[in-house]
Amino acid sequence: MPRVALGSILTECNQLGGLPIEITWFERYDLYRGEAILQVGSGVVGGMLQALRGGGAEVAPLLYASTCPGGPLTAACYTQLKTELLDRLRRALPLDGVLLPLHGSAAAENALDLEGDLIGAVRQVVGPTVPIVATLDLHAHVTADMVRGADALLAWETYPHRDAFSTGERGARLLLDILAGRCRPTMAMAKVPVLTSAIHGSTEGDDPFAHLMHLTKSHEGQAGVLSTSLFLVHPYLDQPGMGSGPLVITDHNMEQAVGIARRIAEQYWARRFELEPELFTPDEAVAQGLRVDGPVLLVEASDCCGGGAAGDSVATLTALLRAGVPPPSLVPVVDPAVAAACHQAGVGGTLTVPLGHRRDPRWGQPVTVTGRVTRLSDGRFRYVGGVWDSVESSMGPAAVLSLGAVQVLVASHGTYDWMDEQYRAMQLDPSEAKLIVAKNPMNYRMAYSSLVKRTFILDTPGPTPPTLRHVQYRNLQRPYFPLDEEIPGLAPTILP
């Protein structure tokens, strides 16, 4: 019976903005220790546990910490989690293998490449011969340290992310195959300097990334190919060597892995222009949306909590208010001070308050509004599907502030958008609105594609912009697309 350790620090970080991630963030989502991890039945950890049990393995549970994206983890937060995970790992020795369900685009104040640092630390504890398999989000920034430290890296295959559970199963099965001597993985990552948002990054339908993913996964049917993954890098980090492309794992054939990865990366570069979205200012989108017969979605992707933003932008709300007499509309804003004021005023109370841009004030100014409190809540809701399927989360004290026909969902904490759980938790029905504001670049399709008649992607200030043309990186060096549309003599970078 193989003995396998399972541990994780899983989140996505934004180095362009957002709030530092503290330990309390993980406490609001998933923070399991020791035997409690064995009760997790969903997500990537649930998939790993099911596969390990089915393969007759003994699980040594360490620490599982997962939370909504934000800025980098504070040094204290990462040190606490890493120290506890490694202490539990040492006590679990001897081990036959290690499973690490990670994201791949996390960062900490004291570890810019969090996953590379964590994988390396685990390797130091278990030694060079114990296999380490890690699963990653397909938006990971795969680094040389990650490739060198792990025996295998496998990414989620779908976006919107529907396959966390099955990816956990795939990772665990590959580890069991390694332990049984059925394969000897060799791994190569090929990168091209393409940095684009996830607007056209769906793995479904006719999106360009979907075509590239199909091409990548088609190689898994070849003899000797154990796994293929494709990464659209999370572009809101600021680190050297960022880029997108495939990672190929073969059975002891590095030449095959490099050859396949290089060819897919070249195709990725060839389709780079298709990944850039058409953008509208909020005023343009509101004006055109009012002429549409039916509901309209306004996607303020620059303020995406799921990408690490604070969720406190009022750029689109301001445009709605400028429209004079706006139609029924829904807008989410994270502002704990206003949420607290609403709770103090009570349902039916009227208040005049500055709203927005106070959690991360680099991106705009608050707007002063007068509204009536129509609903109050503790902000709890439960995800249905996705990465946190069935997990209960919390917006913190929340309220609905009615500004005439504009209903503002005021939350205390930013939360990941899967579908429309937050609106529904506050008894707000998007089907009754004319203009609906969503603050994510992709998941909105699941909640609203059958409802709305047109979708506008907005060009607003924020740390998760829909195009990277205007971002001023400090650590990432040119050339890279989209700032450099042509790069003469470009060849994919191969890791390791």
Side-chain angles (χ1 to χ4, degrees):
M1 178 181 290
R3 179 170 166 79
V4 176
L6 193 160
S8 174
I9 301 172
L10 195 162
T11 191
E12 184 179 47
C13 296
N14 191 310
Q15 292 177 288
L16 307 182
L19 304 176
I21 295 177
E22 304 276 4
I23 195 67
T24 54
W25 288 47
F26 292 95
E27 292 169 350
R28 287 199 300 271
Y29 275 80
D30 285 331
L31 184 55
Y32 295 94
R33 295 175 167 91
E35 297 296 314
I37 296 172
L38 301 179
Q39 305 307 311
V40 175
S42 62
V44 64
V45 172
M48 287 179 172
L49 290 173
Q50 177 161 296
L52 290 173
R53 289 164 180 152
E58 177 189 357
V59 182
L62 307 176
L63 172 82
Y64 171 44
S66 177
T67 191
C68 177
L73 279 68
T74 64
C77 176
Y78 179 52
T79 298
Q80 177 181 338
L81 294 175
K82 176 185 174 183
T83 299
E84 182 172 349
L85 189 152
L86 294 178
D87 285 346
R88 291 177 178 273
L89 180 66
R90 293 185 188 96
R91 293 198 296 270
L93 295 175
L95 294 162
D96 297 296
V98 179
L99 276 173
L100 301 174
L102 306 174
H103 184 283
S105 288
E109 293 172 341
N110 53 341
L112 294 183
D113 173 15
L114 186 152
E115 286 86 357
D117 178 77
L118 185 62
I119 291 171
V122 169
R123 174 62 70 197
Q124 286 187 332
V125 172
V126 300
T129 62
V130 174
I132 298 173
V133 173
T135 57
L136 304 173
D137 191 296
L138 62 78
H139 298 120
H141 166 44
V142 180
T143 66
D145 284 347
M146 294 162 63
V147 175
R148 283 193 294 262
D151 292 85
L153 302 169
L154 299 84
W156 300 350
E157 301 171 333
T158 64
Y159 186 58
H161 298 313
R162 306 179 190 275
D163 66 325
F165 188 91
S166 61
T167 299
E169 289 181 303
R170 289 190 294 119
R173 288 176 186 146
L174 180 56
L175 178 61
L176 292 175
D177 284 344
I178 296 170
L179 296 177
R182 289 188 286 265
C183 63
R184 299 167 60 191
T186 52
M187 181 165 50
M189 170 83 189
K191 287 188 182 184
V192 286
V194 177
L195 277 72
T196 54
S197 72
I199 297 294
H200 291 311
S202 175
T203 57
E204 303 169 1
D206 199 39
D207 270 21
F209 191 74
H211 291 282
L212 290 165
M213 180 62 80
H214 295 326
L215 170 65
T216 301
K217 302 309 291 186
S218 70
H219 290 277
E220 286 189 349
Q222 295 182 13
V225 178
L226 301 175
S227 171
T228 59
S229 300
L230 187 66
F231 296 92
L232 189 161
V233 67
H234 177 60
Y236 312 123
L237 296 172
D238 183 5
Q239 297 185 18
M242 290 167 55
S244 302
L247 187 149
V248 179
I249 304 175
T250 58
D251 190 0
H252 198 54
N253 190 334
M254 182 60 78
E255 182 180 358
Q256 182 187 29
V258 170
I260 295 172
R262 179 178 287 116
R263 291 193 295 273
I264 298 171
E266 290 168 349
Q267 287 297 308
Y268 202 115
W269 176 254
R271 302 196 70 156
R272 62 195 181 280
F273 291 100
E274 301 172 49
L275 292 160
E276 280 288 281
E278 180 184 11
L279 303 179
F280 299 83
T281 67
D283 290 313
E284 290 171 340
V286 170
Q288 293 188 39
L290 291 176
R291 297 195 291 268
V292 174
D293 183 17
V296 170
L297 191 67
L298 307 178
V299 179
E300 193 174 354
S302 294
D303 194 35
C304 174
C305 293
D312 65 348
S313 173
V314 290
T316 308
L317 173 62
T318 303
L320 285 169
L321 298 178
R322 278 197 297 265
V325 184
S329 305
L330 300 182
V331 184
V333 179
V334 177
D335 191 321
V338 173
C342 289
H343 276 256
Q344 184 174 5
V347 173
T350 300
L351 63 164
T352 298
V353 288
L355 176 67
H357 291 300
R358 291 193 287 183
R359 299 285 280 167
D360 190 1
R362 290 168 281 187
W363 309 102
Q365 298 295 321
V367 59
T368 299
V369 297
T370 298
R372 184 172 64 89
V373 180
T374 59
R375 196 163 292 113
L376 297 172
S377 166
D378 62 5
R380 294 186 179 277
F381 65 95
R382 190 174 297 276
Y383 287 106
V384 181
V387 180
W388 286 296
D389 185 25
S390 302
V391 171
E392 184 182 83
S393 187
S394 175
M395 299 176 278
V400 176
L401 185 63
S402 177
L403 312 180
V406 180
Q407 307 298 310
V408 183
L409 192 171
V410 185
S412 295
H413 306 305
T415 51
Y416 178 85
D417 289 327
W418 174 240
M419 289 186 60
D420 59 357
E421 289 96 335
Q422 291 90 333
Y423 279 144
R424 297 288 182 180
M426 299 301 294
Q427 301 176 42
L428 295 172
D429 186 352
S431 68
E432 297 177 354
K434 166 65 177 177
L435 299 175
I436 307 160
V437 176
K439 294 186 175 183
N440 69 76
M442 178 57 59
N443 293 348
Y444 68 82
R445 296 189 188 189
M446 297 183 298
Y448 305 113
S449 61
S450 63
L451 171 66
V452 301
K453 301 303 181 182
R454 185 165 178 191
T455 297
F456 295 89
I457 308 299
L458 305 185
D459 188 7
T460 61
T464 54
T467 179
L468 284 301
R469 290 184 181 276
H470 313 299
V471 171
Q472 299 296 313
Y473 292 103
R474 291 181 295 177
N475 299 312
L476 176 67
Q477 300 298 310
R478 294 178 65 178
Y480 61 85
F481 179 85
L483 201 58
D484 300 283
E485 294 187 348
E486 302 293 339
I487 305 177
L490 175 71
T493 300
I494 305 297
L495 301 178

